Amino acid sequence: MTSDHDTLWSRCAYLGRVLLPLVDQEPWRQARRHENLQNWGIDTAVGERLIEVFAAVAAHAVAVDASMTAAGLDELPLRTVAEVATSKQDFELLAGLPETFADDRDGQAVNLFRLYIYKSGQYSLQLMRLSTELRHALIILAERSSTPSPTCADVFRRAAEAGLSH
């Protein structure tokens, strides 16, 4: 049986996975992001995977801090996730993460995120840049929403409408 904590992580990881495809509905945004990653010396595939896991980790950190259930994640405002991504110390985002992950890709991505945190130096600078890129992506989605304060549920709904698998 899956615990609520595992389900919470799964929903946070899903948020991370659908974020960039939803932002990229305007193709020029993907080209701009790829250009930024290249200018920063970050491999495009690695950078995009780190942005995905950064979104998941940031949403998870907010949810854990607020003692949210997996169902409660739906009410989490996108702007809150965006603020946490740029305001918390990177290592603070790791608190409360599951020790193991049902999806090996998530475990590998979280371990890469941890490695970037612990290596510091240029990796810290890259994480700062990726957090800014993540914040930008979340704000784009928030601005596209017809609701005044869009939440994770709005993203999940748009992902379902776009046919992005869960």
Side-chain angles (χ1 to χ4, degrees):
M1 180 161 194
T2 305
S3 73
D4 191 63
H5 192 252
D6 291 337
T7 304
L8 174 63
W9 170 257
S10 176
R11 291 181 56 75
C12 291
Y14 179 63
L15 175 69
R17 280 193 303 276
V18 301
L19 178 68
L20 295 180
L22 289 174
V23 168
D24 292 348
Q25 288 177 348
E26 297 167 307
W28 64 269
R29 292 194 185 275
Q30 181 183 52
R32 193 194 118 255
R33 184 177 59 255
H34 287 183
E35 183 179 327
N36 285 343
L37 292 170
Q38 289 170 355
N39 289 340
W40 298 331
I42 302 172
D43 176 79
T44 302
V46 170
E48 288 188 339
R49 186 61 179 129
L50 282 169
I51 291 169
E52 289 176 13
V53 78
F54 212 137
V57 168
H60 190 267
V62 174
V64 168
D65 285 352
S67 299
M68 269 181 203
T69 63
L73 185 69
D74 284 353
E75 302 308 314
L76 181 61
L78 293 181
R79 291 192 187 274
T80 301
V81 178
E83 289 170 19
V84 166
T86 55
S87 66
K88 278 196 171 211
Q89 294 291 323
D90 301 329
F91 63 86
E92 291 177 301
L93 298 173
L94 299 175
L97 283 177
E99 291 184 26
T100 59
F101 299 88
D103 183 339
D104 287 340
R105 271 183 32 111
D106 289 344
Q108 292 169 353
V110 168
N111 286 338
L112 180 61
F113 187 79
R114 282 184 177 120
L115 182 64
Y116 269 58
I117 291 170
Y118 296 129
K119 282 185 114 176
S120 67
Q122 81 177 38
Y123 295 95
S124 291
L125 176 60
Q126 288 180 346
L127 279 179
M128 182 189 72
R129 289 173 170 161
L130 292 170
S131 73
T132 302
E133 195 68 33
L134 168 59
R135 185 177 192 283
H136 180 71
L138 288 165
I139 288 173
I140 288 168
L141 289 183
E143 289 173 350
R144 282 186 191 163
S145 179
S146 59
T147 60
S149 182
T151 64
C152 290
D154 295 314
V155 172
F156 297 148
R157 186 186 75 259
R158 292 200 334 238
E161 290 168 358
L164 299 173
S165 64
H166 192 54

